[in-house]
Amino acid sequence: MPSPTTENYLKAIYALAERDTNRPLVRLGELATELKLTPGTITTMIRSLAERDLVTYQPRAGVKLSAKGNQEALQVLRRHRLIELFLVEVMKMDWSEVHEDAEALEHAVSDKFLAKMDEMMGYPTEDPHGDPIPVAGAEIPASQTRKLSDVPSGNYQLSRVNDQDPEFLDWLSASGLRPGTRFAVTSHDPRSGVLLLQLEGGAAELPIGIGAAKNIRVKPLGTH
Amino acid sequence: MPSPTTENYLKAIYALAERDTNRPLVRLGELATELKLTPGTITTMIRSLAERDLVTYQPRAGVKLSAKGNQEALQVLRRHRLIELFLVEVMKMDWSEVHEDAEALEHAVSDKFLAKMDEMMGYPTEDPHGDPIPVAGAEIPASQTRKLSDVPSGNYQLSRVNDQDPEFLDWLSASGLRPGTRFAVTSHDPRSGVLLLQLEGGAAELPIGIGAAKNIRVKPLGTH
DNA sequence: AAAAATAGTTTGAATATTCAAAATAAACTG
DNA sequence: CAGTTTATTTTGAATATTCAAACTATTTTT
Ligand SMILES: [Mn+2]
Ligand SMILES: [Mn+2]
Ligand SMILES: [Mn+2]
Ligand SMILES: [Mn+2]
């Protein structure tokens, strides 16, 4: 029912709100950046989303998804992530290249096709980048993960990675980092902006810049 | 590059031109019916297609695909048919329900995804309804088949069926008719508008109306 | 050949989406 | 707090796609 454009806006609002958890409002400027559109365009479109009760709009302050908008966003996200996993698992595409394909297919797949994919993969709960696949009714549990860039030295397990940048994803897999990988943060120098990681079974330490580390979410492991 | 709308117009022009082979021009009224749009809309859009050199437009007479438009149409058709086969073969969907899905997906699949499907199915040459799957450079050979409605008594093999109507396709499979099926036309009564078919290994004769028979294309078999 | 029917085109208008540039409000700064 | 910077909104305009209704050309009937 909603147009691809509408779906993309709702998804973007959801993603930005989730980015830094519990932000009450998403600012329109952030949306303009995320969607690569001019600010005026965003204002216009948000007005229209508000009229359709998909968002709550407070001029000059920001937007928030309504219950209806949130549900809609989750459905698109479900499609997006199930498609990404399907492309990797079934079609044997690389995890670095599936995001863009999913971005288009999420607006075109039927419920039937989606159900077949779901069944074929055994009702998976996470996409190739470690993001949870939303389910029809159920809520998504608030992510207990932290950004790798914010975390003190210690042991961690890689949980989720930002899927937008193919180069970054290629580097990750080449370095042996993907969802599930365990490693220790051995040092974190804010002045140089470099963290050192010791991968489980990895010989040398792996340096990673703070910028890149912001795109990785980890789960703390006990220091056993 | 072309919008989904443009792709659908080109595909429709191609389909109508192929319907009754070698018709020099497709009339805009036919397009209006096929695409379920008003005549004025068609005129407007055809003007725009002509400006982009995708069609040759002779006002009040009709349109014809240009070389460029033809190539574009074949690409969409290739996607459509490969997707249909994929949905049947890989996703185990019913042949009666895949056309609509393919109608949307044909505008959303990437070259990479398409290549994976093609490879996965072993570079097939026909879709589930018996229609040829166009290949990159190659021409589609002029169909040597005839409409079942136009054919005299004799032995035939079912070649292609119109894929638009799910009810019709359900009836076909329930009756044991699909591409490849051999049968004899035992009688054809133009007054009642009914043909009788004797399926290979079928007990009773199968009656089929002329209207339905127009949607079936057959290949004559020697009367051995 | 005129009248009637059919097919196609024009016109005027609407919706959805987007941009550039001007105007305005809010936040920050010295 | 006045001035400056930044974020957002407004305004005016464009493109793509569609419709309804009026108009026109073509074909078919008397
Ligand atoms: Mn993605
Ligand atoms: Mn998208
Ligand atoms: Mn089809
Ligand atoms: Mn289509």
Side-chain angles (χ1 to χ4, degrees):
Chain A
M1 193 76 55
S3 70
T5 301
T6 296
E7 292 188 340
N8 285 335
Y9 273 76
L10 296 177
K11 194 152 64 77
I13 297 168
Y14 185 98
L16 289 170
E18 205 206 21
R19 202 101 100 204
D20 301 277
T21 322
N22 56 305
R23 192 148 65 313
L25 291 178
V26 173
R27 313 195 113 277
L28 301 215
E30 300 179 79
L31 272 173
T33 306
E34 177 83 3
L35 295 170
K36 297 189 218 299
L37 297 170
T38 60
T41 298
I42 304 293
T43 304
T44 304
M45 191 57 74
I46 289 297
R47 271 240 216 70
S48 144
L49 294 181
E51 251 158 47
R52 284 176 282 164
D53 290 308
L54 292 166
V55 301
T56 295
Y57 172 40
Q58 298 187 246
R60 295 212 119 97
V63 269
K64 199 168 100 60
L65 290 174
S66 70
K68 201 164 95 183
N70 196 258
Q71 188 194 307
E72 206 62 73
L74 284 174
Q75 277 179 36
V76 186
L77 218 48
R78 172 174 169 75
R79 276 182 251 138
H80 181 100
R81 291 177 179 168
L82 222 31
I83 289 165
E84 283 188 344
L85 192 64
F86 179 84
L87 292 176
V88 169
E89 298 277 296
V90 179
M91 305 307 293
K92 307 299 179 200
M93 289 174 63
D94 197 273
W95 77 331
S96 69
E97 63 188 7
V98 296
H99 174 75
E100 209 181 310
D101 275 53
E103 203 58 57
L105 290 169
E106 67 191 0
H107 313 291
V109 299
S110 68
D111 288 352
K112 211 161 248 159
F113 183 22
L114 199 78
K116 289 285 187 182
M117 287 194 288
D118 196 22
E119 183 194 340
M120 182 174 281
M121 299 189 291
Y123 312 100
T125 59
E126 280 181 17
D127 83 2
H129 314 99
D131 296 313
I133 297 173
V135 178
E139 273 300 296
I140 289 212
S143 170
Q144 288 310 309
T145 61
R146 301 174 59 188
K147 285 195 194 141
L148 177 56
S149 52
D150 299 346
V151 112
S153 298
N155 296 307
Y156 299 95
Q157 180 172 39
L158 199 160
S159 175
R160 308 166 59 169
V161 300
N162 183 317
D163 66 354
Q164 319 276 314
D165 179 3
E167 311 288 316
F168 171 61
L169 291 171
D170 277 343
W171 175 80
L172 276 184
S173 30
S175 308
L177 284 167
R178 68 213 124 54
T181 304
R182 287 148 183 272
F183 62 88
V185 175
T186 55
S187 87
H188 179 169
D189 183 344
R191 285 154 313 159
S192 68
V194 173
L195 292 113
L196 291 179
L197 310 185
Q198 180 65 56
L199 298 225
E200 201 175 52
E205 283 186 317
L206 180 70
I208 173 173
I210 286 232
K214 279 188 183 147
N215 292 310
I216 298 177
R217 304 198 69 102
V218 299
K219 191 168 58 140
L221 295 175
T223 329
H224 54 83
Chain B
M1 192 74 57
S3 69
T5 300
T6 295
E7 293 188 339
N8 285 334
Y9 274 76
L10 296 176
K11 196 154 61 79
I13 297 169
Y14 185 97
L16 288 170
E18 206 206 21
R19 202 101 100 204
D20 300 277
T21 321
N22 57 304
R23 192 147 64 314
L25 291 177
V26 172
R27 313 195 112 277
L28 302 215
E30 300 178 79
L31 273 172
T33 307
E34 178 82 1
L35 295 170
K36 296 189 221 298
L37 297 170
T38 60
T41 298
I42 303 294
T43 303
T44 305
M45 190 59 73
I46 289 298
R47 269 239 217 71
S48 145
L49 294 181
E51 251 157 49
R52 285 176 280 163
D53 290 309
L54 292 166
V55 300
T56 295
Y57 171 40
Q58 299 189 246
R60 296 214 120 93
V63 268
K64 199 169 101 60
L65 290 174
S66 71
K68 201 164 95 182
N70 195 258
Q71 189 194 308
E72 206 61 73
L74 283 174
Q75 276 178 37
V76 185
L77 219 47
R78 172 174 169 76
R79 277 183 251 137
H80 182 99
R81 292 177 178 168
L82 221 32
I83 290 166
E84 283 188 343
L85 191 65
F86 179 83
L87 293 177
V88 169
E89 297 278 296
V90 179
M91 304 308 292
K92 307 300 179 197
M93 289 173 64
D94 197 274
W95 78 332
S96 68
E97 63 189 7
V98 296
H99 176 74
E100 210 182 310
D101 275 53
E103 203 56 57
L105 290 169
E106 67 191 0
H107 313 291
V109 300
S110 68
D111 288 353
K112 211 162 250 160
F113 183 22
L114 200 76
K116 288 285 187 182
M117 288 193 288
D118 196 21
E119 184 194 341
M120 182 174 280
M121 299 189 290
Y123 312 101
T125 59
E126 280 182 17
D127 85 0
H129 313 100
D131 297 312
I133 296 174
V135 178
E139 273 300 296
I140 289 211
S143 170
Q144 289 311 310
T145 60
R146 302 174 59 190
K147 286 196 195 141
L148 176 55
S149 51
D150 299 345
V151 111
S153 298
N155 295 307
Y156 299 95
Q157 179 171 39
L158 199 160
S159 175
R160 309 167 58 170
V161 298
N162 182 319
D163 66 355
Q164 319 276 315
D165 180 2
E167 311 287 316
F168 171 61
L169 291 171
D170 277 344
W171 175 81
L172 276 184
S173 29
S175 308
L177 284 167
R178 70 213 119 54
T181 304
R182 287 150 183 271
F183 61 89
V185 175
T186 55
S187 86
H188 179 168
D189 182 346
R191 285 156 312 158
S192 68
V194 173
L195 292 114
L196 291 179
L197 310 185
Q198 179 66 54
L199 297 226
E200 200 176 52
E205 284 187 316
L206 180 69
I208 174 173
I210 285 233
K214 278 189 185 149
N215 293 309
I216 298 178
R217 304 198 68 103
V218 298
K219 191 168 57 141
L221 294 177
T223 327
H224 54 83

